[in-house]
Amino acid sequence: MNPNFDLVIFDCDGVLVDSEVISCRAHAEILSRHGYPITSEQVFHRFLGRSTRQANLEVEAELGRALPDDFHLQLRDELHRTFEADLEAIPHIHSALDAITQPVCVASSGSHQRMQISLGRTRLYDRFAPNIFSASQVSNGKPAPDLFLFAAGQMNVAPERCVVIEDSVPGVTAGRAAGMTVFGFHGGSHCQPGYAEMLRAAGAIATFDDMRQLPGLIEKIGVKATPNRAV
């Protein structure tokens, strides 16, 4: 076991499951249905990595009215439908988990219900349960550090001995603010050219696009990991 990392914290969407394109499409569909016309690309650029709660507050402020009481249910149902049809695990994530010797957990902006659907669909839920943590359990979602600090506390690991695997700028920012080492993953179908550089600019100490690389990165970086050094 690497002496510098006692816990590997995974984001969910775009890191464990290849869901970001699907999620942005569903989110755009439901928002547009309720008088807030927006494209999936605009959802991606504005809300990727952030909680639905935060996104809805911004939308409601611009609309000048509240979204329907059952908005979350409508979004959940749309996500469930599209996940059942199209969702897949990130390639090679199962073999990567097999090779990682440290304890692992999930810390996601998504709700527990959403993760039950997405992780269950891809046979990942049982690999992490019960160590699955949601932004709904803290006051402030990403880019604030609250969720990652909460996850580390629940797992009884000091923040500086955690490595975070993230695919979004808010997520990288949150991990760095929590005092953790952050690896940026850019292998999801939503990641475009230049995405790795964007994650590095946000503070990721290393970037990679193939989950088969992750166990080796965890071992390689180890004692070299410092907040300001890129690999």
Side-chain angles (χ1 to χ4, degrees):
M1 182 178 292
N2 189 293
N4 266 29
F5 296 133
D6 293 337
L7 177 66
V8 184
I9 304 177
F10 288 87
D11 179 38
C12 182
D13 294 296
V15 171
L16 296 175
V17 296
D18 199 6
S19 58
E20 294 293 15
V21 170
I22 300 171
S23 298
C24 289
R25 189 168 61 235
H27 205 163
E29 165 66 24
I30 300 301
L31 284 173
S32 298
R33 188 184 302 169
H34 290 291
Y36 189 84
I38 190 170
T39 66
S40 58
E41 289 79 13
Q42 289 170 324
V43 169
F44 174 84
H45 290 295
R46 286 189 60 183
F47 302 131
L48 183 72
R50 302 171 62 197
S51 69
T52 303
R53 177 180 61 190
Q54 291 172 307
N56 288 354
L57 287 173
E58 286 189 19
V59 168
E60 289 176 337
E62 293 179 29
L63 284 173
R65 58 177 170 81
L67 290 165
D69 291 339
D70 65 345
F71 180 85
H72 287 287
L73 293 176
Q74 293 183 42
L75 180 58
R76 183 199 66 188
D77 290 346
E78 182 67 15
L79 284 171
H80 195 172
R81 183 185 66 79
T82 53
F83 281 178
E84 282 293 324
D86 302 322
L87 185 64
E88 296 182 355
I90 289 291
H92 311 296
I93 184 59
H94 282 280
S95 59
L97 290 170
D98 288 341
I100 293 170
T101 56
Q102 289 89 343
V104 297
C105 71
V106 179
S108 171
S109 295
S111 67
H112 282 289
Q113 281 186 325
R114 173 169 168 164
M115 285 187 281
Q116 284 178 330
I117 295 169
S118 63
L119 295 178
R121 162 81 178 164
T122 52
R123 299 183 294 108
L124 286 162
Y125 190 85
D126 290 341
R127 301 199 69 151
F128 288 96
N131 301 318
I132 298 173
F133 309 110
S134 165
S136 63
Q137 295 175 274
V138 296
S139 298
N140 302 295
K142 305 169 188 178
D146 303 29
L147 178 56
F148 288 132
L149 292 173
F150 176 77
Q154 293 296 301
M155 300 294 290
N156 296 310
V157 177
E160 63 271 18
R161 299 184 70 85
C162 299
V163 58
V164 170
I165 317 302
E166 264 288 353
D167 72 309
S168 73
V169 168
V172 173
T173 303
R176 286 294 304 274
M180 300 175 181
T181 300
V182 183
F183 295 169
F185 177 68
H186 57 102
S189 60
H190 63 291
C191 298
Q192 315 234 331
Y195 207 87
E197 290 75 14
M198 183 175 66
L199 296 176
R200 282 180 178 266
I205 199 171
T207 54
F208 67 107
D209 63 359
D210 188 324
M211 277 296 170
R212 289 172 292 189
Q213 300 171 279
L214 180 57
L217 274 176
I218 292 171
E219 295 304 316
K220 173 187 173 185
I221 290 179
V223 296
K224 295 195 246 183
T226 62
N228 297 310
R229 178 172 178 173
V231 176

